[in-house]
Amino acid sequence: MITTTLFSIHFILFHAVLWVNACDWGEIKVPEDGNYTVWVWSEKGKSGEITIDSQKLSYSAPEKEKDKKDATNHIWLNLKLVSLKGRRNIQVRGDANISSIVLSNQADYNPESWCKYARVLQEPERVFDARVEVIRNTNTVFAMPHFENLQDWEAFAEHLRRTISIACGIFPEREKCPLNAYIFDKFQGDGFTVEKVYFESLPGFYVTGNLYRPIKEGKHPGVLCPHGHWKEGRLENSDTGSVPGRCITMARMGFVVFSYDMVGYNDSQQLPHNWGTNLLKLWGIHPCAVQLWNSIRALDFLQTLSDVDPEQIACTGASGGGTQTFLLSSVDKRVKVAAPVNMISCSMQGGCICENAPLIRRNASNMEIGALMAPRPMILVSATGDWTWATPRVEYPAIRSIYELYGKETNLESQQFDAGHNYNKNSREAVYRFFGKQFFPQQNWEQFSEANFDVPPKQSLRVFTDEKIEELKKIGYEEILNKFVSEKKSLRDKYVAIKAEQIKEFREKDKHSLAIVTGAEVPAVNDTCGTCTSISREATFVLERWIISRTKVHDQIPLLLYRSNKAETQKVVLLIHHEGKGYFINPNGSLHPAVQNLMQKGYAVALIDLFLTGEHQSPQEKVKRKETSNYLDTFLNTRPAEQVQDIITSLVWLSSRRDLQTPITLIGMGNAGVLALFAGAICDKANPIFADMNELDLNDDSVWEQYFYIPCIRSIGDIQNALWWICPERNGSVFRVNPNISFFAPVTVQKQVKDLNDLVALLN
């Protein structure tokens, strides 16, 4: 018998039962010859006709009986038999009054019985989960939350900083290779010198740029200058923005300035600027991560220079360079002063893939990320003609509120200019004056202005010859990316390959990175609620139909609770399959034998539909999230991540019931086994945990991409990470069904488990 969830695929086959929904009218395949009974789910009081293999069948549904307690608006109708030839395709189509058509060659089959025991809703509807409707993207208008005290902010800031670190591949902590820096071809300018630079941020991968230095000898503050998406990158010299002009002026002021290429610009041609796949993001590898790592290594480079004071480093850039500025400042406190120009906005979070790391804006915007600079000095430079037009009244006061918590509000400044998107002379001068006050307070910078400058010839700034660039390109960017993945795999293996006595140290370091990558929370009991749609009292059990939710999120999870009709407190099993709760209900409405076995053993059994499965779907429409951005995983949890949350929410809600015992036995079948393992690792209310690996090759990244796409899940150790949060306290209670992958953690497998019945036999 093959079972699955209704309303989620084109048709469902129970031997010879075909179920077709209105959203899937069209062609289906008949599995075998026979006479098929036709059932339709019709709106009451309607009549019309349907088409089965070019045959027209009429139907007429009775009116709703007003004088009876009949709350339903739809009814199942049994139409006549049709004779169908097997192993061929037929057309199945209904009219606007019909939600579903079911064909069965089983004389006693009744789809109404299946719905009675498999569905929470009586009508052919779906639950209305707010997560489906949420729109968060780079052009969403955000409001920064209020933080009442420093403790609340720092707890939030630690979580956000850690999220960025995981999302951009900085955690688990990476080993830094030797820079092997090469500085050459000094050009003598008017009051400055400039040299060509390249070094390795990763073995064989180069950061390229120019080093501008003052004429005066001695120790100087250092400045990192990432550029934005100007046509000529770090070589851009126009009225809108001059990167060389900025560097020359700051060198004349007394700074050592390093201006470096974004990936894919000028001399950095080993990777294009736009690249990336979901498979790579499983490892935290994407353009934003590579550029942030380049910036961290650029900071390392500045600190190695004999003429740079390593404790006095600033960073400034505009547009995409502004994004790099505040991302670097958020994770690396060696940046003492920052000037993100024309970027931090409530209404535009960055339009390029290099600015949109996964995970980082699910519960934050650039305002909160920028505020991670606090209490260190920062200036916000904005323009009336771009997305920073509201900075004086929105972004600046919001970020200033964080500086006020530290009592350092004077460390934040804001200046706006009447211009379009830019890093023009006015904007640059605002930054010069701010940096001057911070690093050279003995001087008066109030009237400082940018002097005329001559930009050196391009051949004096370009690091590589065209021939050298072509030579580097021959390596192929696929080979470069494969090297990145190899580095991540090695780092991951080292991170999770610990001994049992090191578990406490591992957990202190890890701080539930699984919860961060999934975005999952363990809600307080009072932050969950349930609406009971109906209760059926049967001879041997009671069936409660619930929609449970997190009150602050307004998500909805359909839940069936099969429990004893006695007053005694029961043990409970949360039983999950990736196809939904309908998997555990036979076509005739009877319970899966394993569920019956559990109930005979004295367990209450809870079944749920995970996000976007089962009753998250309607026969009338296929429901999916609104795709309003190319960077959904930057702003929203992925579908598997939301499904992990559903399991956790269900565990908390079940644990709140006084008629159920805790802890809760958690069984994840099919692909839900992996999700259940993650949920159980995050939420300690599950014990024992039975996780079916479904014979999947979990060493294969494509399996994770297809079934469990959660950015960075592979880089933090996925299954092994979860096991270290479960063992040893719950060791012996985690079973691998059809195990085909080895783990470091000691996981007890009492016997080879072939199916759900075998698994249930393991329970007391």
Side-chain angles (χ1 to χ4, degrees):
M1 180 175 66
I2 303 171
T3 62
T4 187
T5 308
L6 301 184
F7 317 135
S8 61
I9 61 175
H10 292 291
F11 65 90
I12 294 169
L13 172 62
F14 299 119
H15 284 299
V17 176
L18 300 169
W19 189 305
V20 190
N21 293 318
C23 59
D24 289 317
W25 295 148
E27 199 172 76
I28 64 169
K29 188 171 184 177
V30 179
E32 58 187 42
D33 296 352
N35 292 321
Y36 287 77
T37 302
V38 180
W39 291 84
V40 295
W41 204 355
S42 170
E43 187 177 349
K44 289 181 177 178
K46 302 293 184 180
S47 60
E49 65 178 20
I50 65 171
T51 302
I52 305 291
D53 191 25
S54 74
Q55 301 179 58
K56 302 291 185 181
L57 303 181
S58 298
Y59 68 89
S60 180
E63 295 283 350
K64 185 175 181 179
E65 298 184 47
K66 298 180 181 179
D67 58 335
K68 293 186 177 181
K69 293 182 179 181
D70 183 5
T72 62
N73 296 312
H74 291 77
I75 190 171
W76 281 102
L77 300 175
N78 186 340
L79 307 186
K80 72 176 187 177
L81 289 171
V82 294
S83 180
L84 299 174
K85 292 290 185 181
R87 292 169 295 282
R88 69 188 184 91
N89 294 332
I90 66 169
Q91 287 289 325
V92 176
R93 189 173 298 278
D95 58 26
N97 305 317
I98 302 299
S99 296
S100 301
I101 298 175
V102 181
L103 309 176
S104 173
N105 64 357
Q106 300 177 22
D108 61 347
Y109 174 73
N110 184 341
E112 188 172 12
S113 297
W114 188 91
C115 289
K116 178 181 178 180
Y117 294 106
R119 285 180 59 82
V120 167
L121 302 171
Q122 295 178 297
E123 302 285 357
E125 299 171 341
R126 65 178 176 90
V127 295
F128 287 89
D129 192 320
R131 293 173 296 182
V132 173
E133 307 299 329
V134 168
I135 297 176
R136 284 178 66 92
N137 57 46
T138 191
N139 294 316
T140 298
V141 177
F142 293 93
M144 184 169 158
H146 289 268
F147 296 91
E148 297 300 326
N149 54 63
L150 187 58
Q151 183 179 5
D152 288 349
W153 162 252
E154 290 197 329
F156 176 88
E158 180 184 2
H159 186 273
L160 179 55
R161 189 175 286 112
R162 193 165 187 82
T163 300
I164 296 169
S165 297
I166 292 173
C168 292
I170 301 169
F171 179 89
E173 188 175 354
R174 304 172 78 169
E175 296 179 3
K176 292 181 177 180
C177 70
L179 290 170
N180 297 323
Y182 190 38
I183 305 172
F184 62 106
D185 281 0
K186 180 182 290 187
F187 176 90
Q188 181 68 55
D190 181 11
F192 70 96
T193 64
V194 59
E195 295 160 282
K196 303 174 182 179
V197 174
Y198 66 86
F199 57 80
E200 295 177 81
S201 61
L202 291 162
F205 188 74
Y206 297 105
V207 176
T208 51
N210 296 117
L211 188 64
Y212 294 79
R213 285 172 152 147
I215 299 297
K216 184 180 178 182
E217 294 183 355
K219 290 279 189 181
H220 305 279
V223 179
L224 290 177
C225 276
H227 64 79
H229 294 89
W230 314 108
K231 182 179 180 181
E232 295 195 81
R234 78 173 202 276
L235 306 181
E236 179 76 16
N237 181 39
S238 64
D239 290 341
T240 304
S242 175
V243 180
R246 183 201 328 166
C247 297
I248 290 169
T249 302
M250 286 193 286
R252 289 170 171 173
M253 291 170 64
F255 295 98
V256 174
V257 186
F258 181 53
S259 170
Y260 54 106
D261 287 320
M262 286 203 294
V263 172
Y265 277 73
N266 293 314
D267 296 291
S268 180
Q269 296 295 323
Q270 291 175 280
L271 290 173
H273 189 65
N274 294 297
W275 56 272
T277 63
N278 285 350
L279 190 146
L280 288 170
K281 284 193 280 188
L282 291 167
W283 293 98
I285 299 171
H286 45 82
C288 188
V290 172
Q291 290 194 170
L292 181 54
W293 185 248
N294 283 353
S295 294
I296 290 171
R297 299 314 315 272
L299 205 160
D300 293 339
F301 166 70
L302 270 184
Q303 288 191 315
T304 66
L305 300 176
S306 60
D307 56 344
V308 170
D309 182 342
E311 298 302 315
Q312 294 196 78
I313 305 291
C315 186
T316 182
S319 193
T323 301
Q324 291 183 68
T325 296
F326 63 71
L327 282 176
L328 176 64
S329 303
S330 73
V331 298
D332 200 322
K333 292 188 176 181
R334 292 179 295 173
V335 177
K336 303 302 183 184
V337 182
V341 175
N342 287 2
M343 194 60 237
I344 295 182
S345 170
C346 66
S347 59
M348 208 288 283
Q349 307 304 302
C352 180
I353 192 171
C354 77
E355 300 172 272
N356 283 281
L359 310 181
I360 65 173
R361 299 189 184 96
R362 296 170 303 178
N363 298 300
S365 71
N366 285 352
M367 289 184 286
E368 291 95 313
I369 298 173
L372 293 176
M373 183 67 188
R376 293 164 288 166
M378 179 168 67
I379 184 171
L380 302 177
V381 178
S382 58
T384 58
D386 71 2
W387 48 83
T388 59
W389 63 275
T391 295
R393 69 174 180 85
V394 178
E395 294 87 352
Y396 170 64
I399 296 174
R400 181 184 168 90
S401 71
I402 304 303
Y403 278 80
E404 289 172 347
L405 294 177
Y406 289 98
K408 296 288 186 180
E409 55 268 32
T410 57
N411 277 358
L412 182 71
E413 293 187 13
S414 172
Q415 284 206 39
Q416 187 173 78
F417 298 99
D418 189 10
H421 194 56
N422 75 88
Y423 202 161
N424 62 21
K425 184 179 179 181
N426 287 336
S427 298
R428 295 196 298 272
E429 287 180 341
V431 173
Y432 301 150
R433 294 163 187 161
F434 187 76
F435 279 10
K437 286 192 299 182
Q438 303 304 321
F439 292 104
F440 307 111
Q442 67 279 10
Q443 300 179 42
N444 184 357
W445 297 95
E446 295 300 322
Q447 303 301 318
F448 181 83
S449 61
E450 181 181 85
N452 293 334
F453 56 84
D454 292 318
V455 175
K458 285 186 179 179
Q459 62 267 28
S460 298
L461 299 177
R462 290 293 301 269
V463 176
F464 295 139
T465 63
D466 291 341
E467 292 75 18
K468 179 63 176 178
I469 289 175
E470 290 304 314
E471 179 185 331
L472 291 171
K473 282 184 176 181
K474 286 181 181 178
I475 298 174
Y477 76 88
E478 292 291 344
E479 183 176 333
I480 294 287
L481 295 176
N482 288 336
K483 287 176 66 175
F484 290 175
V485 173
S486 294
E487 182 230 1
K488 287 289 187 177
K489 287 182 177 179
S490 176
L491 185 63
R492 182 274 315 269
D493 291 346
K494 181 179 178 181
Y495 182 62
V496 296
I498 63 171
K499 297 178 181 179
E501 57 267 24
Q502 298 172 303
I503 289 178
K504 182 178 179 181
E505 180 184 346
F506 170 83
R507 291 177 180 176
E508 288 175 351
K509 185 192 308 180
D510 187 70
K511 292 184 173 66
H512 268 313
S513 59
L514 269 175
I516 289 178
V517 299
T518 60
E521 63 164 1
V522 180
V525 167
N526 289 336
D527 287 337
T528 65
C529 64
T531 300
C532 185
T533 63
S534 64
I535 298 177
S536 298
R537 301 179 68 88
E538 308 287 337
T540 58
F541 64 85
V542 173
L543 172 56
E544 300 179 5
R545 302 174 183 88
W546 290 88
I547 298 174
I548 64 173
S549 179
R550 288 175 291 165
T551 54
K552 296 178 182 179
V553 180
H554 305 296
D555 47 3
Q556 293 195 336
I557 307 167
L559 182 146
L560 297 174
L561 182 64
Y562 286 84
R563 64 172 179 83
S564 169
N565 53 18
K566 299 178 182 179
E568 61 195 23
T569 301
Q570 286 188 275
K571 298 177 291 184
V572 60
V573 170
L574 177 58
L575 187 55
I576 305 164
H577 192 278
H578 67 271
E579 294 174 350
K581 55 186 172 13
Y583 177 87
F584 301 104
I585 312 300
N586 293 326
N588 61 5
S590 64
L591 294 173
H592 189 291
V595 177
Q596 296 183 47
N597 194 355
L598 282 168
M599 294 175 69
Q600 290 169 3
K601 288 188 172 197
Y603 285 90
V605 179
L607 309 174
I608 64 172
D609 287 328
L610 298 174
F611 184 56
L612 294 181
T613 67
E615 290 181 89
H616 286 273
Q617 303 292 333
S618 159
Q620 299 289 348
E621 61 173 333
K622 288 184 177 179
V623 178
K624 62 180 183 178
R625 293 179 119 165
K626 296 180 179 179
E627 296 185 7
T628 59
S629 170
N630 292 327
Y631 316 113
L632 283 183
D633 55 18
T634 300
F635 295 91
L636 299 172
N637 295 326
T638 63
R639 173 175 171 166
E642 294 290 10
Q643 292 178 339
V644 171
Q645 179 64 63
D646 288 346
I647 299 170
I648 294 172
T649 302
S650 301
L651 288 170
V652 172
W653 184 81
L654 289 168
S655 71
S656 73
R657 292 186 54 133
R658 295 179 175 87
D659 59 345
L660 300 176
Q661 297 177 21
T662 56
I664 297 160
T665 298
L666 175 61
I667 301 177
M669 300 301 300
N671 294 343
V674 171
L675 304 176
L677 195 66
F678 290 162
I682 296 168
C683 179
D684 62 7
K685 298 184 184 300
N687 185 26
I689 302 167
F690 296 82
D692 178 7
M693 299 292 104
N694 205 23
E695 296 188 325
L696 295 171
D697 182 1
L698 296 175
N699 292 311
D700 185 348
D701 287 349
S702 65
V703 170
W704 288 91
E705 182 182 20
Q706 181 177 359
Y707 299 115
F708 313 112
Y709 174 61
I710 300 172
C712 306
I713 191 68
R714 298 286 277 147
S715 65
I716 64 166
D718 50 79
I719 300 294
Q720 182 61 61
N721 186 302
L723 291 175
W724 285 131
W725 281 97
I726 295 169
C727 302
E729 293 89 344
R730 292 176 278 176
N731 185 33
S733 65
V734 180
F735 292 81
R736 291 178 283 133
V737 183
N738 299 317
N740 64 351
I741 185 170
S742 60
F743 302 110
F744 296 105
V747 182
T748 300
V749 182
Q750 293 185 1
K751 59 180 288 188
Q752 179 69 24
V753 183
K754 295 181 179 179
D755 57 29
L756 183 55
N757 288 312
D758 275 0
L759 194 152
V760 170
L762 296 173
L763 288 174
N764 296 326

